[in-house]
Amino acid sequence: MSALAPVSSVNSITKQDEKNLDSSEIKDVQGNSAFIETVTAAPLSPWSKTSLQLYAILLVAALNATASGFDGSIFSSINAMDQYKKYFHHKETGSSTGIIFMIYTIGNMVGSLFTGPICDHFGRRAGMGVGSILIGAAAIVLTAAKNDSYLLGGRFLLGFGISIGTSSAPTYALELAPPQWRARIVGFYNTFFYTGSILSTGVAYASNKASGELAFRLPLGLQLMPPACILVGVMFIPESPRWLTARGKKDQAQAILAKYHGGGDLNHPLVQLEIKEFEESIQVKEAQSVWNYYDLVNTRNQRWRMLMNAFMSFFAQLSGNSVLTYYLPTMYTKLGIVSTDRRLLLTFANSIVSCTGAVAGSATNDKIGRRTKLWIGSIVLSCLFAGVTGFSSQFGDKNKVVSQALSNGGVAFIFLFGCAYSFIYTPLTATYCAEVLANHTRAKGMGVHVIMSNCANLYNTYVTAIALDSIGWKYYLLFVALNLFYAFMWFTFGVETRGRTLEELDAVFDAKWPPKAALSKSTMLRREDGQLEGL
């Protein structure tokens, strides 16, 4: 592949020349003009042999999201089973149930403290491998559970392993994906959450028909499948080129970039651009300080990055979706649906609908942009949760006879909320957090992202169980108000990340007001061969 054509002739165009150009030849593009010139000059084929190999490699990372989806959804379904409640002497809501859910979150938070050191010192593959071993061990403990001690220990270990796997995997996917495909590939990574969710809710619905312990032990045992596949997969995939460059292994990194970003050409313009930016931005000394978390906030640039990380970590978890994740069958009860079989079937169906929204959201990440999707989407989520609240309020009086149509209307709004949330947040939660973090702080920052997310989830898992038991549908009003607040915050402070390599975002966060700098556009000329060049 030849080097980029010189642009001096374009840069010498005067204002008068620009006016004389056909309007179809001029295009305003949001992002860095050098990056856009590079990717349009040397486009990659999405169906080449090496691209298909890349997809297979990234599938190993995506299985970490599958494991998270399975583990995050399975207990919601099991908690509604009469067989489980009878065996462990639990009820569906209340303090004891909240503790069983909450201990998973505590395990997540503790595990996240080890994410940065493991991923920075041993590599991204090591993080995924360690996470899969811990998840597998936890699945064995839970499947053999005899009492609450087993459940608490297994859930803690499960959360510990999930935090390491789901921090290292999106970091790996982001750093290995070609920059022009970054949002779609990492967005689809998080969409695999629903492959686990669909599998777990489907198995739970089917196994609920069995009598005795098999009803809940079979779904718990199936938690072993994703980590087993991950453990085998990490033995055959390459390491992150950014991590290799940070460790002084430039030749290995360049070979990986050439194969998967440049079609085997070491002189491919994109490969050369990335290697140059890696060397300029990766700070080896800081990356080796695996326990130094101060560099996450030691400059104004880094503080802006962590603010965006915090926004996504808290807003995504406290928008109402976690109520659906952990207590969806209970939400159906608030709509007058008391049959366990029907509630589990609706939970399974909701997973499929939500998966559809996530796939559509991943495909549109670059077209819509992160900031626009987040602030408009937050308003949509507020309206939909208001609908769930309105329908649920009709079932507050147990002596009141309410029509089936109102119950169905509430179910429809739950489905719509799940689909909309998956369109907005599911493809962006891991993507955006990893994008806004600098190279030398990405692994540690993703660990902090897990901590912040789970601080929110401590509230979701414990307080929600008590609130639903005490005040029922009135609790939903909190999320209606919160989503409106998030819309304001994303619109005012949200920083757009599309149209740039990860290294080029430094200029955005160094700007006086990053939200405005991120929205700046470059005027570019479209040549006859389709390449865009800066004016």
Side-chain angles (χ1 to χ4, degrees), residues 234-410:
V234 293
M235 300 177 185
F236 300 98
I237 62 177
E239 186 52 84
S240 158
R242 279 180 172 85
W243 185 84
L244 289 171
T245 305
R247 289 299 175 275
K249 300 176 181 179
K250 177 184 173 182
D251 291 342
Q252 292 183 41
Q254 194 164 0
I256 293 170
L257 290 173
K259 181 175 182 179
Y260 297 110
H261 295 190
D265 182 7
L266 286 171
N267 295 316
H268 190 287
L270 185 58
V271 174
Q272 294 302 310
L273 174 67
E274 289 184 285
I275 285 293
K276 179 183 176 183
E277 291 183 340
F278 287 5
E279 292 176 328
E280 290 175 351
S281 68
I282 291 178
Q283 302 173 34
V284 178
K285 182 178 178 180
E286 290 188 351
Q288 290 174 334
S289 302
V290 294
W291 293 103
N292 179 18
Y293 281 80
Y294 177 65
D295 56 2
L296 288 168
V297 293
N298 64 351
T299 65
R300 182 176 178 276
N301 178 305
Q302 293 286 49
R303 287 190 288 274
W304 261 103
R305 290 175 182 271
M306 282 305 296
L307 178 64
M308 294 300 99
N309 191 7
F311 274 19
M312 182 60 77
S313 301
F314 286 108
F315 295 177
Q317 298 302 325
L318 292 173
S319 61
N321 182 64
S322 288
V323 182
L324 270 70
T325 300
Y326 295 109
Y327 297 101
L328 184 53
T330 303
M331 292 184 74
Y332 291 134
T333 303
K334 302 300 180 187
L335 289 166
I337 303 170
V338 295
S339 166
T340 300
D341 194 60
R342 188 180 175 210
R343 287 188 294 148
L344 291 177
L345 178 60
L346 287 172
T347 301
F348 172 59
N350 185 69
S351 296
I352 297 174
V353 172
S354 296
C355 182
T356 304
V359 171
S362 299
T364 56
N365 267 354
D366 283 321
K367 291 183 179 179
I368 298 178
R370 285 59 147 170
R371 173 181 170 274
T372 301
K373 180 181 286 189
L374 288 165
W375 78 263
I376 294 178
S378 295
I379 296 174
V380 172
L381 291 178
S382 180
C383 294
L384 292 174
F385 221 97
V388 175
T389 306
F391 281 104
S392 298
S393 68
Q394 300 302 306
F395 295 84
D397 186 354
K398 294 182 179 179
N399 297 319
K400 181 181 177 182
V401 178
V402 184
S403 70
Q404 183 66 37
L406 287 175
S407 178
N408 292 340

Side-chain angles (χ1 to χ4, degrees), residues 453-534:
S453 295
N454 283 293
C455 284
N457 265 334
L458 278 175
Y459 173 88
N460 284 324
T461 52
Y462 186 66
V463 175
T464 296
I466 298 172
L468 288 175
D469 199 36
S470 302
I471 60 176
W473 64 267
K474 297 182 183 69
Y475 179 60
Y476 301 160
L477 293 170
L478 172 66
F479 299 104
V480 175
L482 282 176
N483 278 300
L484 290 176
F485 171 70
Y486 302 156
F488 169 78
M489 297 299 285
W490 283 124
F491 180 81
T492 307
F493 299 102
V495 177
E496 182 58 67
T497 57
R498 67 172 175 171
R500 293 173 172 85
T501 65
L502 299 176
E503 289 72 25
E504 288 162 356
L505 286 171
D506 252 344
V508 170
F509 286 107
D510 280 334
K512 185 176 181 180
W513 185 246
K516 181 179 179 181
L519 297 176
S520 63
K521 293 186 176 182
S522 302
T523 302
M524 306 192 75
L525 173 69
R526 186 183 296 278
R527 299 193 324 194
E528 291 182 2
D529 60 3
Q531 179 185 345
L532 292 174
E533 291 184 342

